[in-house]
Amino acid sequence: MIQIEGIEGLPEVVPGDDIAALVAGAGVEIIDGDILVVTSKIVSKAEGRVRKGDSRAEAIAEETERVVARRGDLVIAQTRQGFVMAAAGVDASNTEPGTILLLPEDADASARRIRAGLRDRLGADVGVIVSDTFGRPWRHGLTDLAIGAAGVRPLDDYRGQSDPYGNPLNATVTALIDEIAAAAELAKGKLAGVPVAIVRGLAHLITAPDGPGVTALLRPADEDLFRHGSADVIYARRTIREFSPTPVDPAAVHRAIAAAISAPAPHHTTPWRFVLLETPATRTALLDAMRAAWTADLRADGFTESSITKRLRRGDVLRNAPYLAIPCLVMDGSHTYPDPRRNTAEREMFTVATGAGVQNFLIHLAVEGLGSAWVSSTMFCRPTVRQILNLPDSWDPMGTVAIGHPTSPPPTRPPRNPTDYTLIR
């Protein structure tokens, strides 16, 4: 049997309070094997995570690591602690007017301190979960989840086992501490003034060491299929120049092409074509021919051999990438005018449309977890590229996209103020 009991009568928590001492003095029996679920708000208050003032927007910005999605005043953000939640966990409820509550700096550490304090005061070996309220994608309503834990097994991993029908379980990992946090909220409530609940009957989940805490539940970025939200997907595209030898899944590249060809184009045309270099011999032949063409051009322009060598190194990213794609511009459907100026503008329209397609392509590669670098190489030797790849004369190669798995995260991009690039008339 599982029993859940809220601890009533706790005083208003203020900075400097010892939550373990408050719980121990509440007059409620706490025994070995109990799990205490503590609302994060009182942890934040006790630890002084209270911000004076009513500028919630400023507090959200300070607590945000990245914005995942934004609609009006609603912000879904990844916090500095690694949680993705509304308003970066900043809360103006259940706190005095003119103050705002922030999440605990390290809720796992908070849970460890509360656990140790209860052991010292009561001699009871308990688990502690710090909980907070989360919304959920695709579902209305809120539920409590764990943001900190100590002494409780966080996950039950059933992978490798079989169900009663003999079917293998390949993906079943139960988030135990989230389930306990949600169940405990039924006894605490949002408005009852009961910030702590005791869950009894799950002693088999108690661990002697404090354990990994909530860290075990945070999904690594490279495993997260939904990492990029609507607000930060564009910023996910970064130029990557160093790739691991891990092969690139061609299906991912084809999905990126599907995104590319959804870009706008003039006259209802489709000016994009993509040449995918998946044959090693063709790839090597093209890069060697391009290198020879660049060398001849640079020598004709009077560059020294050392300068030529330095410039040719820029093409190393293409040789080191496990996959290459060449976007091409085609002018099918374009209009021809008697005025040469209009013909120039017509080509510029198609060039801009191709750029929009390439940008879509690069962004979707990032969504697929792939890095990329758009190198302008082929535009300097288009006849050579057409010859090696046997392309129609009407296809204009518009650079080469190096694609692969990044060896490391890209460096932080220096902030840019859009005002510096804006002119208002």
Side-chain angles (χ1 to χ4, degrees):
M1 179 181 295
I2 299 173
Q3 297 175 309
I4 305 174
E5 176 187 0
I7 299 180
E8 299 182 356
L10 292 175
E12 177 69 20
V13 175
V14 297
D17 275 350
D18 185 329
I19 292 177
L22 295 177
V23 171
V28 178
E29 182 185 30
I30 296 175
I31 62 175
D32 288 351
D34 284 349
I35 299 174
L36 273 75
V37 181
V38 183
T39 300
S40 66
K41 287 184 176 62
I42 68 169
V43 177
S44 295
K45 291 178 180 179
E47 295 179 355
R49 294 283 288 160
V50 182
R51 175 186 169 120
K52 294 188 180 298
D54 56 5
S55 180
R56 192 160 176 257
E58 289 183 8
I60 293 171
E62 291 173 1
E63 296 297 305
T64 294
E65 181 72 22
R66 67 184 180 94
V67 174
V68 176
R70 186 191 303 271
R71 179 176 295 168
D73 294 332
L74 175 62
V75 176
I76 306 298
Q78 179 180 318
T79 71
R80 293 182 289 104
Q81 296 88 346
F83 308 122
V84 176
M85 55 196 310
V90 174
D91 200 341
S93 64
N94 291 299
T95 185
E96 294 182 0
T99 63
I100 298 170
L101 292 178
L102 313 178
L103 290 180
E105 283 283 1
D106 183 345
D108 281 334
S110 303
R112 292 193 293 268
R113 285 192 292 270
I114 296 171
R115 185 191 194 203
L118 290 171
R119 183 188 299 116
D120 292 342
R121 288 172 173 79
L122 303 176
D125 187 16
V126 302
V128 175
I129 294 173
V130 178
S131 67
D132 202 272
T133 303
F134 282 67
R136 299 156 301 157
W138 308 297
R139 296 179 73 90
H140 288 299
L142 306 172
T143 188
D144 267 29
L145 301 179
I147 66 167
V152 187
R153 189 164 80 242
L155 298 165
D156 251 351
D157 191 344
Y158 294 96
R159 291 174 296 182
Q161 301 183 43
S162 298
D163 67 15
Y165 296 95
N167 300 309
L169 301 179
N170 298 317
T172 304
V173 182
T174 301
L176 295 171
I177 53 178
D178 281 346
E179 292 186 327
I180 297 169
E185 181 60 18
L186 295 174
K188 292 187 295 175
K190 297 298 181 189
L191 302 175
V194 180
V196 182
I198 302 171
V199 180
R200 185 165 295 164
L202 296 174
H204 61 287
L205 300 181
I206 301 296
T207 60
D210 288 330
V214 170
T215 303
L217 272 66
L218 298 183
R219 192 185 299 275
D222 59 351
E223 297 178 7
D224 190 351
L225 294 178
F226 304 98
R227 177 169 179 77
H228 301 301
S230 58
D232 70 346
V233 64
I234 293 176
Y235 301 98
R237 188 220 62 80
R238 304 291 297 277
T239 297
I240 303 296
R241 299 187 182 279
E242 295 184 4
F243 303 99
S244 75
T246 305
V248 171
D249 180 5
V253 179
H254 282 266
R255 289 192 291 270
I257 293 174
I261 61 179
S262 70
H267 313 317
H268 306 288
T269 58
T270 54
W272 325 275
R273 301 292 185 274
F274 287 83
V275 182
L276 307 181
L277 300 186
E278 297 182 353
T279 306
T282 301
R283 169 194 172 121
T284 300
L286 175 64
L287 294 179
D288 287 347
M290 288 169 57
R291 184 183 183 91
W294 296 338
T295 301
D297 285 346
L298 291 170
R299 284 174 178 161
D301 290 338
F303 286 92
T304 64
E305 292 302 314
S306 61
S307 178
I308 292 173
T309 300
K310 182 178 179 180
R311 288 171 178 269
L312 291 177
R313 288 198 195 103
R314 298 172 184 171
D316 288 347
V317 64
L318 302 180
R319 291 187 180 272
N320 297 333
Y323 198 102
L324 298 180
I326 299 177
C328 296
L329 161 67
V330 298
M331 296 287 290
D332 294 350
S334 63
H335 296 171
T336 301
Y337 301 96
D339 187 343
R341 293 174 301 175
R342 298 188 67 184
N343 290 327
T344 298
E346 184 81 356
R347 180 173 177 82
E348 289 174 346
M349 286 167 46
F350 276 72
T351 301
V352 170
T354 303
V358 172
Q359 177 73 342
N360 281 10
F361 181 65
L362 300 176
I363 289 173
H364 196 89
L365 288 173
V367 172
E368 295 280 350
L370 294 168
S372 63
W374 186 14
V375 183
S376 59
S377 53
T378 63
M379 289 189 278
F380 293 92
C381 51
R382 283 174 174 151
T384 299
V385 177
R386 293 192 193 100
Q387 178 184 359
I388 297 296
L389 300 181
N390 192 26
L391 303 181
D393 290 342
S394 59
W395 288 30
D396 281 344
M398 303 296 284
T400 307
V401 180
I403 304 170
H405 296 273
T407 56
S408 60
T412 302
R413 178 188 283 116
R416 293 174 180 171
N417 187 341
T419 303
D420 296 339
Y421 305 88
T422 305
L423 186 63
I424 298 177
R425 288 288 187 263

